[in-house]
Amino acid sequence: MKRIALFLATNLAIVLVLSVTVRLLGIEPYLTAQGLNLGSLLVFAAVMGFGGSFLSLALSKWTAKRAMGVQVIETPVNPTEEWLVQTVRRQAERAGIGMPEVGFYESDEVNAFATGMSRHKALIAVSSGLLRQLTREEAEAVLGHEVAHAANGDMVTLALIQGVVNTFVMFLSRIIGHTVDRVVFRNERGHGPAFFVTLIVSELVLGILASVIVMWFSRRREFRADRGGAELASRPAMIAALRRLASLHPQPLPDKMAAFGIAGGAPQGWKRLFMTHPPLAERIAALESIGAR
């Protein structure tokens, strides 16, 4: 869903801003004043890594509303809005979570997302394209999928995992930069240009590798949310919704949209490592296997 891409983009931006701010304030040199202090460096990386991750989580609803132009339904003004709010309310009660904010945004793409810092204060939004192109039963299954994401606490868990990978990216990139600066360039005083160049390159490379872990987690959570949607709506409705999504996207989405779509893209080879969603065929097969068992 879009929540993954928005969360990752916000998290990356915040971590980069915090990292640059620390350098401008002159805090980082204290970590290496007496040689590389691994303990202090790990604490520093954890504070920065988890700080960026949870700050992006705290801003997730605000970011999603403005990035997607979400119109939150305060008081339903038509039957569609009334159905949307009542469906989410009923599913939230069954899932044991607080009533999420419910909204919609204008887009021809068939999409929906859930976000928020707490399972009891989530935001669930759907595109106008989804409301136009899916039946009520299919749309209800998609809403159940999103309510399941909120009930499972996926955003908080994602923030924890992202905080861990942020920590090790920052920790290891500084060790690599320090090693190159001292061993390769024989710099014995402070940090030279080699450290900062190596640091930036290392953060980029390690960040890409770390995203593979986050994407793997995201794919696992999609299977679980599908099962939740099947419980909150029905298994046939969830399968029908996924099949409808497959028919609406017969070709893989463009790269810039692959992480945003409710169905995700369908890249081949190494690109599969960076998929936020499993292929729709695999998700359908997983739901069908539940009935077979």
Side-chain angles (χ1 to χ4, degrees), residues 179-199:
T179 302
V180 169
D181 197 44
R182 291 290 192 269
V183 176
V184 178
F185 289 88
R186 307 290 183 179
N187 182 28
E188 300 296 336
R189 298 182 62 186
H191 281 146
F195 169 80
F196 296 103
V197 172
T198 306
L199 173 62

Side-chain angles (χ1 to χ4, degrees), residues 9 47 86 94-95 99 107 113 115 119 127 134 142 174 207 212-213 229 231 237 244 254 261 282 285 291:
V47 170
Q86 291 304 320
R94 286 188 59 192
M99 177 61 184
S107 174
F113 68 86
T115 191
R119 64 198 297 268
S127 69
L134 268 60
V142 172
R174 280 157 178 77
V212 173
I213 300 173
E231 293 174 0
R244 175 63 68 91
E282 293 182 14

